[in-house]
Amino acid sequence: MIDLSQADPAELRSMIRNAELIEPTAGMANGYAQANLAILKKEHAFDFLLFCQRNSKSCPLLDVTEIGSAIPAFAAPDGDIRTDIPKYRVYKRGELTDEVTDISKYWEEDMVGFLIGCSFTFEHALLNNDIPIRHIEEGCNVPMYKTNIPCMEAGIFHGKMVASMRPIPQKDVVRAVQVTSRFPAVHGGPIHIGDPEAIGVCNIDQPDFGDPVTVHQGEVPVFWACGVTPQSIAMETKPEIMITHAPGHMFITDIRDEKLGVL
Amino acid sequence: MIDLSQADPAELRSMIRNAELIEPTAGMANGYAQANLAILKKEHAFDFLLFCQRNSKSCPLLDVTEIGSAIPAFAAPDGDIRTDIPKYRVYKRGELTDEVTDISKYWEEDMVGFLIGCSFTFEHALLNNDIPIRHIEEGCNVPMYKTNIPCMEAGIFHGKMVASMRPIPQKDVVRAVQVTSRFPAVHGGPIHIGDPEAIGVCNIDQPDFGDPVTVHQGEVPVFWACGVTPQSIAMETKPEIMITHAPGHMFITDIRDEKLGVL
């Protein structure tokens, strides 16, 4: 496999667009922010924008396209959200109906795309602080869980927060809070430290999305709000159509990670 | 004058609602966030929400009401944005047409209220760091200027950023950046340090809003994005109707200042 960690975001988007790269984007274009995607029709765009504003831990917005435009003018002016993600999921009335590598055939003239910050940015920051990331060590997707934490409703949108989990050594937990709090645009500080059951996660070995990872003796499960929350919300809210990225298959932006740090 | 610095937000809102208090709200309910207000009809709500998302330095959202509801459910569940501000401004097609203490007669069933963070929160933080605030010392309103910095457009909304200015002693400038950067929800770190002309402010003694203040020898003018930006935008964009607070006359929320700190 070619090492794409130092590749340019525009180059990667072009490869993805030409179907030369169909795989999870973790570890690609290091130093550049990647984004979750949600696409909705205009009739639901205000409600969803409000949902993101009210639930900014789960849905911190990096960019929103103009109505009918597939170009994220701020995050990647030469990008196209219809083609530049390796794998998409199409939800119709809350049901996952299709998984495709290009959504051009689903695109409508009144659609709006929402690019939502992704934890890859703060994972780099954790690694730079010598805090281990288990799912990277184990070469799998981060485990994600439906919690019992209600999102704040906005119009039709309601449901529970999805959280990702990283086992953190006891001695590093405080530093992990500090490091990730610098980046509110990519979920910021954790939403929970410790006992999974306290947030409704009954079996840490059975994530609802992604893969299970090992929690070693002396490690604490630490949970962050997750950009897969909109997919869970879509399943509950059942809009006529909602298109998202497939978990782990993100939109690679031109935004430098460090520019998202508030301090 | 009664000292209202320790008064309860709900009590103050009630006094304002009953027209027992018609004055600028600076220095009231210390420790609680105050908010700028912008009210628009539903047809412009998505564009304006997007404008706020794209220009979060000027327009950091604390709360957005449901369409047709005057209750800011998050910021003050027992508040009413039609009555709880001491003085409002009504703009019709970009012209200031009225200044009133109650906008009930202007309220329509498809209006949406946007509460935008206000610099009072970070001013407390600066004072707690022994950094002087000149307009508080001189007992006047903060000086605000139309800059030459373009806001990012969103739908019909476009225009230049309005910035507030505080003269900061040389030795305190770095600390002022640190202290205010903790609070992105109330404009965060400065947008400019030093030479006013570099951001299109030609005469520091003639602010476009608020009052001029003294800049002493050895002090640097430091500029922060300002929640009056929407009023300037309204004058450029000319929506049919837009209602705002009058500068300095804010909505007092139940949100504790410290809860807005990201670290």
Side-chain angles (χ1 to χ4, degrees):
Chain A
M1 205 174 91
I2 322 161
D3 176 14
L4 297 171
S5 67
Q6 302 309 311
D8 177 71
E11 186 190 337
L12 287 169
R13 288 195 301 269
S14 165
M15 288 171 69
I16 292 167
R17 193 177 310 151
N18 298 323
E20 294 159 11
L21 188 66
I22 306 175
E23 55 187 273
T25 52
M28 296 181 189
N30 278 346
Y32 290 90
Q34 300 196 20
N36 302 274
L37 174 71
I39 295 174
L40 286 155
K41 284 165 74 77
K42 182 187 166 191
E43 60 182 322
H44 298 310
F46 177 74
D47 284 355
F48 190 72
L49 187 51
L50 193 51
F51 182 85
C52 293
Q53 192 270 323
R54 289 185 178 161
N55 298 281
S56 59
K57 292 286 279 188
S58 333
C59 304
L61 286 170
L62 293 181
D63 202 356
V64 181
T65 65
E66 294 294 313
I67 294 167
S69 165
I71 298 163
F74 172 70
D78 71 352
D80 188 320
I81 57 170
R82 295 169 299 193
T83 53
D84 295 0
I85 281 184
K87 204 183 285 175
Y88 298 85
R89 285 185 168 182
V90 179
Y91 291 87
K92 289 194 173 172
R93 292 179 199 83
E95 298 286 325
L96 175 59
T97 57
D98 204 359
E99 208 168 67
V100 289
T101 60
D102 183 318
I103 55 155
S104 299
K105 69 176 176 183
Y106 287 108
W107 184 258
E108 295 177 58
E109 281 315 303
D110 64 347
M111 282 182 159
V112 180
F114 299 81
L115 289 175
I116 293 167
C118 153
S119 54
F120 292 171
T121 294
F122 75 61
E123 290 183 350
H124 292 149
L126 290 170
L127 289 171
N128 287 340
N129 279 270
D130 287 334
I131 299 174
I133 309 280
R134 186 61 31 78
H135 63 274
I136 296 181
E137 291 173 357
E138 299 188 344
C140 61
N141 221 326
V142 66
M144 293 164 267
Y145 307 85
K146 291 184 190 173
T147 70
N148 61 8
I149 302 169
C151 292
M152 283 182 72
E153 289 186 30
I156 66 161
F157 295 99
H158 60 91
K160 303 287 169 54
M161 180 193 289
V162 175
S164 61
M165 188 280 290
R166 291 161 191 79
I168 306 286
Q170 293 274 11
K171 70 173 176 51
D172 293 327
V173 171
V174 169
R175 186 65 187 151
V177 172
Q178 292 169 332
V179 167
T180 57
S181 297
R182 283 189 62 221
F183 295 102
V186 292
H187 307 301
I191 52 113
H192 182 67
I193 296 170
D195 183 15
E197 286 193 26
I199 56 168
V201 175
C202 298
N203 189 345
I204 201 106
D205 296 322
Q206 292 191 351
D208 296 294
F209 304 88
D211 304 305
V213 297
T214 316
V215 182
H216 294 305
Q217 191 69 27
E219 289 181 340
V220 182
V222 180
F223 295 85
W224 279 265
C226 178
V228 168
T229 300
Q231 301 188 29
S232 175
I233 296 303
M235 290 182 232
E236 293 237 359
T237 306
K238 309 187 198 312
E240 190 197 324
I241 185 166
M242 180 167 183
I243 304 172
T244 73
H245 66 292
H249 299 71
M250 318 305 283
F251 184 89
I252 301 171
T253 79
D254 292 338
I255 303 169
R256 295 287 295 264
D257 280 335
E258 271 304 316
K259 289 192 141 181
L260 299 173
V262 285
L263 266 181
Chain B
M1 206 173 90
I2 323 161
D3 177 12
L4 297 171
S5 67
Q6 301 310 310
D8 176 70
E11 186 189 337
L12 287 169
R13 288 195 301 267
S14 165
M15 289 172 69
I16 292 167
R17 194 177 310 152
N18 297 323
E20 294 158 12
L21 188 66
I22 307 176
E23 55 187 273
T25 53
M28 296 181 188
N30 278 347
Y32 290 90
Q34 301 196 18
N36 302 276
L37 175 71
I39 295 174
L40 285 156
K41 285 165 74 77
K42 181 187 167 192
E43 61 183 321
H44 297 310
F46 176 74
D47 284 355
F48 190 70
L49 187 51
L50 193 52
F51 182 84
C52 294
Q53 191 270 324
R54 290 185 177 161
N55 298 281
S56 59
K57 292 287 280 189
S58 334
C59 303
L61 287 169
L62 293 182
D63 202 357
V64 180
T65 65
E66 294 293 314
I67 293 167
S69 165
I71 297 163
F74 172 71
D78 71 352
D80 188 318
I81 57 169
R82 294 169 300 193
T83 53
D84 295 0
I85 279 183
K87 204 183 284 175
Y88 297 84
R89 285 186 167 180
V90 180
Y91 291 87
K92 290 194 173 172
R93 293 179 199 84
E95 298 285 324
L96 175 60
T97 57
D98 205 358
E99 206 168 68
V100 290
T101 60
D102 183 318
I103 55 155
S104 299
K105 69 176 176 183
Y106 286 107
W107 184 258
E108 296 176 59
E109 282 315 303
D110 63 348
M111 281 181 160
V112 180
F114 298 82
L115 289 175
I116 293 167
C118 154
S119 54
F120 292 171
T121 294
F122 74 61
E123 290 183 350
H124 291 150
L126 290 170
L127 289 171
N128 287 341
N129 279 271
D130 287 335
I131 299 175
I133 309 280
R134 186 59 31 75
H135 63 273
I136 295 182
E137 291 174 357
E138 299 188 345
C140 62
N141 221 327
V142 67
M144 293 163 268
Y145 307 85
K146 291 185 191 173
T147 70
N148 62 8
I149 302 169
C151 292
M152 282 181 72
E153 289 186 30
I156 66 162
F157 295 101
H158 61 91
K160 302 287 169 57
M161 179 192 288
V162 175
S164 62
M165 188 280 291
R166 291 160 191 79
I168 305 287
Q170 293 273 13
K171 69 174 176 49
D172 293 327
V173 170
V174 169
R175 186 65 187 150
V177 172
Q178 291 169 332
V179 167
T180 57
S181 296
R182 282 189 63 221
F183 295 101
V186 292
H187 308 301
I191 52 114
H192 182 69
I193 295 170
D195 183 14
E197 287 193 28
I199 55 167
V201 175
C202 297
N203 189 343
I204 200 108
D205 296 323
Q206 292 191 352
D208 296 294
F209 303 90
D211 304 306
V213 297
T214 316
V215 182
H216 294 306
Q217 192 68 27
E219 289 180 343
V220 182
V222 180
F223 294 85
W224 279 265
C226 177
V228 168
T229 301
Q231 302 189 27
S232 174
I233 296 302
M235 291 183 232
E236 294 236 359
T237 307
K238 308 187 197 311
E240 190 197 324
I241 185 165
M242 179 168 185
I243 304 172
T244 72
H245 66 291
H249 299 70
M250 317 306 283
F251 183 90
I252 302 171
T253 79
D254 292 338
I255 303 168
R256 296 287 297 264
D257 279 336
E258 271 305 318
K259 289 190 142 184
L260 298 174
V262 284
L263 267 180

